[in-house]
Amino acid sequence: MNKKIIVGVLILLPLAALGVIWWLGGNNSSSPSANSPEDETVSDAFPIDSSGNIAEPEAFAPTPIIGDSTEPISDDNSRPQQLISGPISGFTAMGQQIFYQESATGHVYTLNPDGQPERLSNFTLPGIQQTVWQTTSNELRLFMRQHTETGTSAWLAAWPLDRNEAAREPVRLGNNVTNWTFAGDKAFFLQSGTTGTEGVATKWPADQNDGQTLFSSPLDDWLVDWPTEKIIALTTKPASNLNGFLYFLNPTTKELRPILRNIRGLETLISPDGEKIIYSQNSGQGPVTYIYDLKKQTTSVLAIATIPPKCRWQNNSAGLICAVPDRWPLGDWHRGDLTTSDQVWSVDAITGASDLLSLPTATSNLDMIDLLISTDGQKLFFRHRADLSLWSLPLKAPSSAS
């Protein structure tokens, strides 16, 4: 064989091998595509900072840091109390007033101070499975997902808080609207089509056919949130054995920025100021829970093991209230095959210190979802996943009589 050919082959073989290794390992410097998050590859399951570096986690503590007391609140007046037997499709609170929607009828109620429900709506929509709420200074707004024997439908409705004003009739949306989130006088929703999913922004009163498309993806399973004016959060729907992705979408520039990538069983919850994220990763034995500080570019491991759907940020973004289950695995819980019995913990998002607030009792083994903290921080409202009933739990011990 010609010596020049032999030398050329010897040079090309190592280069080809290096090229294969580079291709298999993935090119992390390339910008992500909103249309193909499954193609993203990173060397570890942690956030990417502005320089492209991985923010390695810092453990807060090997065990929860207990606050002023080593015992949870145990006064009878501080135990969970059922407010509505359910099932309800969702609820919200405005000051001391609670609003909820009944799943079977679609009727909307408010709870009076004496605990008696008062019906607000004048329509019936049976089979409401999900309600997304927004309260403004003068109006209560709802997005509703309805499921009946004939299929799935989506609706919008609004009620003036002034009882002297007439309520508008519900407006039916297309059956292809899958997710909805409110932000001020705007809304963002996902609608499925033959080529995948589109994300559309519109002004209120919302019109499905009069919006601006900001996002498109061949994937159908996305969850949406609009925590701040410049951040629309898009997270892939969780699957315990599949890698998940979180992107931030700027509604003004349409820029799509990767925040979390290739994290097994990823679930997320963004803080109200948009600067922190609590997220969980499926370890195979259950969730590992982290807080990612976007401003500081740091990731910290929490001592409690839970998932973001069982947490709620405080309004000032300084901490969270989380329900911590007694057992897993995640796949069984998401399929509805497992009901948990939850403790309630408060978490300091800065120091990671945790305080035990409530333990399950023989009469209140509660699988908590849709947590909501009252405006004054005195109460936690939530639904019990097993029967979709509405409950409340005092977050601070009642002051003793002097």
Side-chain angles (χ1 to χ4, degrees), residues 202-246:
T202 184
K203 289 186 177 181
W204 186 267
D207 185 343
Q208 184 182 358
N209 300 313
D210 186 23
Q212 181 184 18
T213 300
L214 304 180
F215 168 81
S216 61
S217 169
L219 303 180
D220 292 329
D221 294 330
W222 292 93
L223 303 177
V224 299
D225 188 21
W226 200 336
T228 72
E229 182 181 356
K230 295 183 179 180
I231 296 175
I232 297 176
L234 292 150
T235 307
T236 48
K237 190 174 180 180
S240 59
N241 293 317
L242 296 178
N243 288 354
F245 302 79
L246 166 66

mmCIF file of all heavy atoms in Angstrom, residues 202-246:
data_model
loop_
_atom_site.group_PDB
_atom_site.id
_atom_site.type_symbol
_atom_site.label_atom_id
_atom_site.label_comp_id
_atom_site.label_asym_id
_atom_site.label_seq_id
_atom_site.Cartn_x
_atom_site.Cartn_y
_atom_site.Cartn_z
ATOM 1 N N THR A 202 -53.062 36.090 24.750
ATOM 2 C CA THR A 202 -54.205 36.922 24.382
ATOM 3 C C THR A 202 -54.543 37.852 25.528
ATOM 4 O O THR A 202 -54.111 37.642 26.659
ATOM 5 C CB THR A 202 -55.426 36.047 24.024
ATOM 6 O OG1 THR A 202 -56.498 36.878 23.579
ATOM 7 C CG2 THR A 202 -55.886 35.244 25.232
ATOM 8 N N LYS A 203 -55.301 38.900 25.235
ATOM 9 C CA LYS A 203 -55.741 39.833 26.273
ATOM 10 C C LYS A 203 -57.124 39.436 26.759
ATOM 11 O O LYS A 203 -57.889 38.779 26.078
ATOM 12 C CB LYS A 203 -55.759 41.268 25.729
ATOM 13 C CG LYS A 203 -54.381 41.856 25.480
ATOM 14 C CD LYS A 203 -54.467 43.318 25.096
ATOM 15 C CE LYS A 203 -53.071 43.923 24.925
ATOM 16 N NZ LYS A 203 -53.154 45.369 24.577
ATOM 17 N N TRP A 204 -57.434 39.855 27.995
ATOM 18 C CA TRP A 204 -58.752 39.596 28.562
ATOM 19 C C TRP A 204 -59.694 40.757 28.209
ATOM 20 O O TRP A 204 -59.260 41.904 28.267
ATOM 21 C CB TRP A 204 -58.643 39.456 30.086
ATOM 22 C CG TRP A 204 -59.937 39.053 30.722
ATOM 23 C CD1 TRP A 204 -60.894 39.887 31.235
ATOM 24 C CD2 TRP A 204 -60.421 37.728 30.884
ATOM 25 N NE1 TRP A 204 -61.943 39.160 31.717
ATOM 26 C CE2 TRP A 204 -61.683 37.830 31.507
ATOM 27 C CE3 TRP A 204 -59.930 36.471 30.561
ATOM 28 C CZ2 TRP A 204 -62.454 36.721 31.815
ATOM 29 C CZ3 TRP A 204 -60.689 35.371 30.873
ATOM 30 C CH2 TRP A 204 -61.929 35.489 31.490
ATOM 31 N N PRO A 205 -60.949 40.488 27.811
ATOM 32 C CA PRO A 205 -61.604 39.182 27.705
ATOM 33 C C PRO A 205 -60.959 38.329 26.616
ATOM 34 O O PRO A 205 -60.745 38.812 25.509
ATOM 35 C CB PRO A 205 -63.048 39.534 27.344
ATOM 36 C CG PRO A 205 -63.216 40.968 27.713
ATOM 37 C CD PRO A 205 -61.878 41.597 27.521
ATOM 38 N N ALA A 206 -60.623 37.105 26.966
ATOM 39 C CA ALA A 206 -59.816 36.247 26.103
ATOM 40 C C ALA A 206 -60.606 35.777 24.891
ATOM 41 O O ALA A 206 -61.790 35.469 24.976
ATOM 42 C CB ALA A 206 -59.314 35.046 26.890
ATOM 43 N N ASP A 207 -59.911 35.717 23.777
ATOM 44 C CA ASP A 207 -60.478 35.212 22.529
ATOM 45 C C ASP A 207 -59.487 34.230 21.937
ATOM 46 O O ASP A 207 -58.362 34.595 21.585
ATOM 47 C CB ASP A 207 -60.743 36.364 21.563
ATOM 48 C CG ASP A 207 -61.457 35.918 20.288
ATOM 49 O OD1 ASP A 207 -61.465 34.698 20.008
ATOM 50 O OD2 ASP A 207 -62.007 36.780 19.585
ATOM 51 N N GLN A 208 -59.921 32.979 21.800
ATOM 52 C CA GLN A 208 -59.022 31.941 21.312
ATOM 53 C C GLN A 208 -58.519 32.236 19.900
ATOM 54 O O GLN A 208 -57.417 31.838 19.524
ATOM 55 C CB GLN A 208 -59.736 30.584 21.336
ATOM 56 C CG GLN A 208 -58.842 29.418 20.930
ATOM 57 C CD GLN A 208 -59.588 28.092 20.919
ATOM 58 O OE1 GLN A 208 -60.769 28.048 21.249
ATOM 59 N NE2 GLN A 208 -58.912 27.025 20.534
ATOM 60 N N ASN A 209 -59.323 32.945 19.118
ATOM 61 C CA ASN A 209 -58.982 33.187 17.716
ATOM 62 C C ASN A 209 -58.317 34.545 17.497
ATOM 63 O O ASN A 209 -58.083 34.940 16.358
ATOM 64 C CB ASN A 209 -60.244 33.090 16.857
ATOM 65 C CG ASN A 209 -60.905 31.727 16.962
ATOM 66 O OD1 ASN A 209 -60.236 30.701 16.871
ATOM 67 N ND2 ASN A 209 -62.214 31.711 17.173
ATOM 68 N N ASP A 210 -58.035 35.262 18.568
ATOM 69 C CA ASP A 210 -57.443 36.586 18.444
ATOM 70 C C ASP A 210 -56.270 36.711 19.401
ATOM 71 O O ASP A 210 -56.276 37.497 20.338
ATOM 72 C CB ASP A 210 -58.489 37.671 18.734
ATOM 73 C CG ASP A 210 -57.939 39.068 18.464
ATOM 74 O OD1 ASP A 210 -56.988 39.182 17.683
ATOM 75 O OD2 ASP A 210 -58.461 40.033 19.060
ATOM 76 N N GLY A 211 -55.240 35.918 19.157
ATOM 77 C CA GLY A 211 -54.064 35.928 20.006
ATOM 78 C C GLY A 211 -52.793 35.868 19.183
ATOM 79 O O GLY A 211 -52.820 35.768 17.951
ATOM 80 N N GLN A 212 -51.668 35.916 19.877
ATOM 81 C CA GLN A 212 -50.358 35.866 19.233
ATOM 82 C C GLN A 212 -49.653 34.577 19.603
ATOM 83 O O GLN A 212 -49.495 34.259 20.783
ATOM 84 C CB GLN A 212 -49.510 37.061 19.670
ATOM 85 C CG GLN A 212 -48.128 37.102 19.027
ATOM 86 C CD GLN A 212 -47.283 38.239 19.566
ATOM 87 O OE1 GLN A 212 -47.573 38.788 20.625
ATOM 88 N NE2 GLN A 212 -46.228 38.599 18.846
ATOM 89 N N THR A 213 -49.245 33.818 18.601
ATOM 90 C CA THR A 213 -48.535 32.566 18.840
ATOM 91 C C THR A 213 -47.097 32.864 19.256
ATOM 92 O O THR A 213 -46.349 33.508 18.519
ATOM 93 C CB THR A 213 -48.547 31.673 17.591
ATOM 94 O OG1 THR A 213 -49.896 31.368 17.235
ATOM 95 C CG2 THR A 213 -47.793 30.370 17.842
ATOM 96 N N LEU A 214 -46.725 32.388 20.446
ATOM 97 C CA LEU A 214 -45.384 32.630 20.984
ATOM 98 C C LEU A 214 -44.513 31.390 20.999
ATOM 99 O O LEU A 214 -43.287 31.495 21.120
ATOM 100 C CB LEU A 214 -45.488 33.165 22.426
ATOM 101 C CG LEU A 214 -46.326 34.417 22.665
ATOM 102 C CD1 LEU A 214 -46.299 34.780 24.149
ATOM 103 C CD2 LEU A 214 -45.826 35.578 21.820
ATOM 104 N N PHE A 215 -45.120 30.216 20.869
ATOM 105 C CA PHE A 215 -44.389 28.973 21.131
ATOM 106 C C PHE A 215 -45.009 27.855 20.308
ATOM 107 O O PHE A 215 -46.234 27.818 20.113
ATOM 108 C CB PHE A 215 -44.486 28.645 22.622
ATOM 109 C CG PHE A 215 -44.040 27.266 23.015
ATOM 110 C CD1 PHE A 215 -42.698 26.970 23.181
ATOM 111 C CD2 PHE A 215 -44.969 26.256 23.234
ATOM 112 C CE1 PHE A 215 -42.286 25.704 23.562
ATOM 113 C CE2 PHE A 215 -44.570 24.992 23.620
ATOM 114 C CZ PHE A 215 -43.223 24.716 23.785
ATOM 115 N N SER A 216 -44.182 26.966 19.797
ATOM 116 C CA SER A 216 -44.687 25.782 19.109
ATOM 117 C C SER A 216 -43.764 24.607 19.392
ATOM 118 O O SER A 216 -42.554 24.777 19.563
ATOM 119 C CB SER A 216 -44.794 26.015 17.598
ATOM 120 O OG SER A 216 -43.521 26.297 17.044
ATOM 121 N N SER A 217 -44.342 23.414 19.468
ATOM 122 C CA SER A 217 -43.578 22.217 19.784
ATOM 123 C C SER A 217 -44.305 20.995 19.236
ATOM 124 O O SER A 217 -45.541 20.958 19.243
ATOM 125 C CB SER A 217 -43.414 22.080 21.305
ATOM 126 O OG SER A 217 -42.898 20.810 21.648
ATOM 127 N N PRO A 218 -43.578 19.993 18.764
ATOM 128 C CA PRO A 218 -44.227 18.747 18.339
ATOM 129 C C PRO A 218 -44.721 17.924 19.523
ATOM 130 O O PRO A 218 -45.477 16.980 19.343
ATOM 131 C CB PRO A 218 -43.123 18.018 17.575
ATOM 132 C CG PRO A 218 -41.848 18.544 18.153
ATOM 133 C CD PRO A 218 -42.124 19.964 18.510
ATOM 134 N N LEU A 219 -44.283 18.283 20.752
ATOM 135 C CA LEU A 219 -44.727 17.571 21.944
ATOM 136 C C LEU A 219 -46.067 18.126 22.419
ATOM 137 O O LEU A 219 -46.324 19.327 22.340
ATOM 138 C CB LEU A 219 -43.696 17.707 23.061
ATOM 139 C CG LEU A 219 -42.276 17.227 22.753
ATOM 140 C CD1 LEU A 219 -41.377 17.439 23.960
ATOM 141 C CD2 LEU A 219 -42.273 15.765 22.338
ATOM 142 N N ASP A 220 -46.914 17.254 22.933
ATOM 143 C CA ASP A 220 -48.239 17.666 23.402
ATOM 144 C C ASP A 220 -48.289 17.938 24.904
ATOM 145 O O ASP A 220 -49.128 18.718 25.355
ATOM 146 C CB ASP A 220 -49.282 16.576 23.075
ATOM 147 C CG ASP A 220 -49.525 16.455 21.577
ATOM 148 O OD1 ASP A 220 -49.414 17.476 20.875
ATOM 149 O OD2 ASP A 220 -49.805 15.332 21.114
ATOM 150 N N ASP A 221 -47.436 17.287 25.656
ATOM 151 C CA ASP A 221 -47.563 17.302 27.109
ATOM 152 C C ASP A 221 -46.688 18.371 27.754
ATOM 153 O O ASP A 221 -45.537 18.125 28.120
ATOM 154 C CB ASP A 221 -47.229 15.921 27.686
ATOM 155 C CG ASP A 221 -48.246 14.878 27.264
ATOM 156 O OD1 ASP A 221 -49.409 15.253 27.059
ATOM 157 O OD2 ASP A 221 -47.874 13.694 27.148
ATOM 158 N N TRP A 222 -47.257 19.588 27.903
ATOM 159 C CA TRP A 222 -46.576 20.692 28.562
ATOM 160 C C TRP A 222 -47.455 21.236 29.685
ATOM 161 O O TRP A 222 -48.681 21.247 29.576
ATOM 162 C CB TRP A 222 -46.283 21.821 27.573
ATOM 163 C CG TRP A 222 -45.265 21.507 26.529
ATOM 164 C CD1 TRP A 222 -45.490 21.016 25.280
ATOM 165 C CD2 TRP A 222 -43.849 21.669 26.633
ATOM 166 N NE1 TRP A 222 -44.314 20.860 24.598
ATOM 167 C CE2 TRP A 222 -43.285 21.252 25.402
ATOM 168 C CE3 TRP A 222 -43.000 22.133 27.639
ATOM 169 C CZ2 TRP A 222 -41.915 21.290 25.165
ATOM 170 C CZ3 TRP A 222 -41.631 22.168 27.401
ATOM 171 C CH2 TRP A 222 -41.097 21.752 26.173
ATOM 172 N N LEU A 223 -46.820 21.740 30.748
ATOM 173 C CA LEU A 223 -47.500 22.459 31.801
ATOM 174 C C LEU A 223 -47.045 23.912 31.758
ATOM 175 O O LEU A 223 -45.871 24.191 31.480
ATOM 176 C CB LEU A 223 -47.176 21.853 33.168
ATOM 177 C CG LEU A 223 -47.502 20.359 33.335
ATOM 178 C CD1 LEU A 223 -47.066 19.875 34.710
ATOM 179 C CD2 LEU A 223 -48.989 20.102 33.118
ATOM 180 N N VAL A 224 -47.960 24.855 32.019
ATOM 181 C CA VAL A 224 -47.628 26.267 31.860
ATOM 182 C C VAL A 224 -47.879 27.044 33.149
ATOM 183 O O VAL A 224 -48.746 26.686 33.953
ATOM 184 C CB VAL A 224 -48.426 26.912 30.708
ATOM 185 C CG1 VAL A 224 -48.101 26.236 29.394
ATOM 186 C CG2 VAL A 224 -49.925 26.875 30.982
ATOM 187 N N ASP A 225 -47.096 28.114 33.328
ATOM 188 C CA ASP A 225 -47.277 29.044 34.440
ATOM 189 C C ASP A 225 -46.752 30.393 33.975
ATOM 190 O O ASP A 225 -45.854 30.465 33.121
ATOM 191 C CB ASP A 225 -46.508 28.547 35.677
ATOM 192 C CG ASP A 225 -46.817 29.374 36.917
ATOM 193 O OD1 ASP A 225 -47.866 30.037 36.932
ATOM 194 O OD2 ASP A 225 -46.012 29.340 37.865
ATOM 195 N N TRP A 226 -47.320 31.482 34.522
ATOM 196 C CA TRP A 226 -46.900 32.835 34.151
ATOM 197 C C TRP A 226 -46.626 33.599 35.440
ATOM 198 O O TRP A 226 -47.413 34.438 35.875
ATOM 199 C CB TRP A 226 -47.992 33.522 33.335
ATOM 200 C CG TRP A 226 -47.510 34.692 32.511
ATOM 201 C CD1 TRP A 226 -46.414 35.450 32.734
ATOM 202 C CD2 TRP A 226 -48.150 35.236 31.342
ATOM 203 N NE1 TRP A 226 -46.301 36.436 31.790
ATOM 204 C CE2 TRP A 226 -47.352 36.337 30.912
ATOM 205 C CE3 TRP A 226 -49.295 34.922 30.640
ATOM 206 C CZ2 TRP A 226 -47.691 37.104 29.799
ATOM 207 C CZ3 TRP A 226 -49.631 35.687 29.528
ATOM 208 C CH2 TRP A 226 -48.840 36.755 29.107
ATOM 209 N N PRO A 227 -45.474 33.353 36.079
ATOM 210 C CA PRO A 227 -45.217 33.929 37.407
ATOM 211 C C PRO A 227 -44.895 35.415 37.388
ATOM 212 O O PRO A 227 -45.230 36.127 38.336
ATOM 213 C CB PRO A 227 -44.034 33.115 37.923
ATOM 214 C CG PRO A 227 -43.334 32.645 36.687
ATOM 215 C CD PRO A 227 -44.405 32.428 35.664
ATOM 216 N N THR A 228 -44.195 35.902 36.360
ATOM 217 C CA THR A 228 -43.850 37.322 36.276
ATOM 218 C C THR A 228 -44.141 37.822 34.863
ATOM 219 O O THR A 228 -44.369 37.039 33.947
ATOM 220 C CB THR A 228 -42.365 37.581 36.603
ATOM 221 O OG1 THR A 228 -41.551 37.099 35.524
ATOM 222 C CG2 THR A 228 -41.952 36.885 37.895
ATOM 223 N N GLU A 229 -44.083 39.139 34.719
ATOM 224 C CA GLU A 229 -44.432 39.747 33.432
ATOM 225 C C GLU A 229 -43.585 39.215 32.286
ATOM 226 O O GLU A 229 -44.080 39.023 31.175
ATOM 227 C CB GLU A 229 -44.272 41.274 33.534
ATOM 228 C CG GLU A 229 -44.656 42.020 32.273
ATOM 229 C CD GLU A 229 -44.464 43.529 32.397
ATOM 230 O OE1 GLU A 229 -44.102 43.984 33.509
ATOM 231 O OE2 GLU A 229 -44.671 44.233 31.404
ATOM 232 N N LYS A 230 -42.295 38.941 32.555
ATOM 233 C CA LYS A 230 -41.381 38.550 31.486
ATOM 234 C C LYS A 230 -41.075 37.058 31.448
ATOM 235 O O LYS A 230 -40.207 36.624 30.692
ATOM 236 C CB LYS A 230 -40.070 39.341 31.615
ATOM 237 C CG LYS A 230 -40.241 40.833 31.405
ATOM 238 C CD LYS A 230 -38.912 41.565 31.465
ATOM 239 C CE LYS A 230 -39.087 43.056 31.225
ATOM 240 N NZ LYS A 230 -37.780 43.779 31.273
ATOM 241 N N ILE A 231 -41.759 36.262 32.275
ATOM 242 C CA ILE A 231 -41.481 34.819 32.321
ATOM 243 C C ILE A 231 -42.759 34.018 32.179
ATOM 244 O O ILE A 231 -43.660 34.119 33.012
ATOM 245 C CB ILE A 231 -40.785 34.420 33.644
ATOM 246 C CG1 ILE A 231 -39.417 35.063 33.763
ATOM 247 C CG2 ILE A 231 -40.661 32.893 33.736
ATOM 248 C CD1 ILE A 231 -38.732 34.790 35.102
ATOM 249 N N ILE A 232 -42.849 33.254 31.116
ATOM 250 C CA ILE A 232 -43.836 32.184 30.998
ATOM 251 C C ILE A 232 -43.051 30.878 31.125
ATOM 252 O O ILE A 232 -42.123 30.631 30.360
ATOM 253 C CB ILE A 232 -44.589 32.227 29.660
ATOM 254 C CG1 ILE A 232 -45.388 33.521 29.538
ATOM 255 C CG2 ILE A 232 -45.513 31.013 29.526
ATOM 256 C CD1 ILE A 232 -46.087 33.690 28.190
ATOM 257 N N ALA A 233 -43.396 30.071 32.113
ATOM 258 C CA ALA A 233 -42.656 28.830 32.364
ATOM 259 C C ALA A 233 -43.343 27.669 31.657
ATOM 260 O O ALA A 233 -44.561 27.493 31.767
ATOM 261 C CB ALA A 233 -42.582 28.557 33.864
ATOM 262 N N LEU A 234 -42.561 26.895 30.938
ATOM 263 C CA LEU A 234 -43.049 25.719 30.219
ATOM 264 C C LEU A 234 -42.272 24.498 30.693
ATOM 265 O O LEU A 234 -41.063 24.403 30.487
ATOM 266 C CB LEU A 234 -42.869 25.898 28.709
ATOM 267 C CG LEU A 234 -43.745 26.972 28.055
ATOM 268 C CD1 LEU A 234 -43.055 27.576 26.848
ATOM 269 C CD2 LEU A 234 -45.083 26.373 27.640
ATOM 270 N N THR A 235 -42.956 23.575 31.339
ATOM 271 C CA THR A 235 -42.339 22.350 31.852
ATOM 272 C C THR A 235 -42.996 21.159 31.189
ATOM 273 O O THR A 235 -44.222 21.104 31.059
ATOM 274 C CB THR A 235 -42.522 22.230 33.383
ATOM 275 O OG1 THR A 235 -42.071 23.420 34.018
ATOM 276 C CG2 THR A 235 -41.746 21.033 33.914
ATOM 277 N N THR A 236 -42.184 20.200 30.760
ATOM 278 C CA THR A 236 -42.747 18.977 30.202
ATOM 279 C C THR A 236 -43.536 18.239 31.280
ATOM 280 O O THR A 236 -43.168 18.251 32.458
ATOM 281 C CB THR A 236 -41.645 18.060 29.655
ATOM 282 O OG1 THR A 236 -40.607 17.938 30.640
ATOM 283 C CG2 THR A 236 -41.050 18.619 28.377
ATOM 284 N N LYS A 237 -44.642 17.630 30.877
ATOM 285 C CA LYS A 237 -45.476 16.902 31.828
ATOM 286 C C LYS A 237 -44.668 15.782 32.468
ATOM 287 O O LYS A 237 -43.968 15.046 31.781
ATOM 288 C CB LYS A 237 -46.700 16.334 31.121
ATOM 289 C CG LYS A 237 -47.750 15.765 32.057
ATOM 290 C CD LYS A 237 -48.998 15.352 31.289
ATOM 291 C CE LYS A 237 -50.048 14.791 32.235
ATOM 292 N NZ LYS A 237 -51.274 14.379 31.501
ATOM 293 N N PRO A 238 -44.734 15.634 33.802
ATOM 294 C CA PRO A 238 -43.843 14.683 34.471
ATOM 295 C C PRO A 238 -44.169 13.225 34.160
ATOM 296 O O PRO A 238 -45.338 12.832 34.081
ATOM 297 C CB PRO A 238 -44.067 14.976 35.957
ATOM 298 C CG PRO A 238 -45.431 15.569 36.030
ATOM 299 C CD PRO A 238 -45.587 16.356 34.763
ATOM 300 N N ALA A 239 -43.128 12.460 33.969
ATOM 301 C CA ALA A 239 -43.214 11.005 33.867
ATOM 302 C C ALA A 239 -42.047 10.468 34.685
ATOM 303 O O ALA A 239 -40.899 10.878 34.481
ATOM 304 C CB ALA A 239 -43.128 10.542 32.415
ATOM 305 N N SER A 240 -42.313 9.565 35.602
ATOM 306 C CA SER A 240 -41.311 9.191 36.598
ATOM 307 C C SER A 240 -40.036 8.622 35.995
ATOM 308 O O SER A 240 -38.964 8.773 36.576
ATOM 309 C CB SER A 240 -41.909 8.185 37.580
ATOM 310 O OG SER A 240 -42.366 7.026 36.895
ATOM 311 N N ASN A 241 -40.124 7.992 34.834
ATOM 312 C CA ASN A 241 -38.938 7.354 34.261
ATOM 313 C C ASN A 241 -38.428 8.053 33.002
ATOM 314 O O ASN A 241 -37.592 7.495 32.287
ATOM 315 C CB ASN A 241 -39.236 5.884 33.941
ATOM 316 C CG ASN A 241 -39.462 5.065 35.194
ATOM 317 O OD1 ASN A 241 -38.734 5.217 36.181
ATOM 318 N ND2 ASN A 241 -40.477 4.219 35.186
ATOM 319 N N LEU A 242 -38.932 9.261 32.727
ATOM 320 C CA LEU A 242 -38.484 10.008 31.556
ATOM 321 C C LEU A 242 -37.845 11.316 31.983
ATOM 322 O O LEU A 242 -38.196 11.898 33.010
ATOM 323 C CB LEU A 242 -39.660 10.289 30.612
ATOM 324 C CG LEU A 242 -40.350 9.076 29.979
ATOM 325 C CD1 LEU A 242 -41.522 9.529 29.110
ATOM 326 C CD2 LEU A 242 -39.365 8.242 29.163
ATOM 327 N N ASN A 243 -36.897 11.805 31.191
ATOM 328 C CA ASN A 243 -36.245 13.077 31.489
ATOM 329 C C ASN A 243 -37.170 14.241 31.159
ATOM 330 O O ASN A 243 -37.878 14.226 30.152
ATOM 331 C CB ASN A 243 -34.947 13.212 30.698
ATOM 332 C CG ASN A 243 -33.864 12.301 31.229
ATOM 333 O OD1 ASN A 243 -34.030 11.645 32.258
ATOM 334 N ND2 ASN A 243 -32.740 12.233 30.534
ATOM 335 N N GLY A 244 -37.134 15.269 32.012
ATOM 336 C CA GLY A 244 -37.978 16.434 31.826
ATOM 337 C C GLY A 244 -37.185 17.689 31.566
ATOM 338 O O GLY A 244 -35.966 17.743 31.788
ATOM 339 N N PHE A 245 -37.886 18.739 31.097
ATOM 340 C CA PHE A 245 -37.252 19.990 30.691
ATOM 341 C C PHE A 245 -38.090 21.170 31.166
ATOM 342 O O PHE A 245 -39.318 21.105 31.192
ATOM 343 C CB PHE A 245 -37.122 20.063 29.163
ATOM 344 C CG PHE A 245 -36.339 18.931 28.565
ATOM 345 C CD1 PHE A 245 -36.924 17.684 28.365
ATOM 346 C CD2 PHE A 245 -35.020 19.102 28.199
ATOM 347 C CE1 PHE A 245 -36.206 16.634 27.826
ATOM 348 C CE2 PHE A 245 -34.292 18.058 27.658
ATOM 349 C CZ PHE A 245 -34.887 16.811 27.474
ATOM 350 N N LEU A 246 -37.427 22.265 31.529
ATOM 351 C CA LEU A 246 -38.080 23.518 31.872
ATOM 352 C C LEU A 246 -37.479 24.623 31.022
ATOM 353 O O LEU A 246 -36.256 24.772 30.947
ATOM 354 C CB LEU A 246 -37.892 23.857 33.359
ATOM 355 C CG LEU A 246 -38.246 25.290 33.784
ATOM 356 C CD1 LEU A 246 -39.740 25.569 33.621
ATOM 357 C CD2 LEU A 246 -37.800 25.562 35.210
#
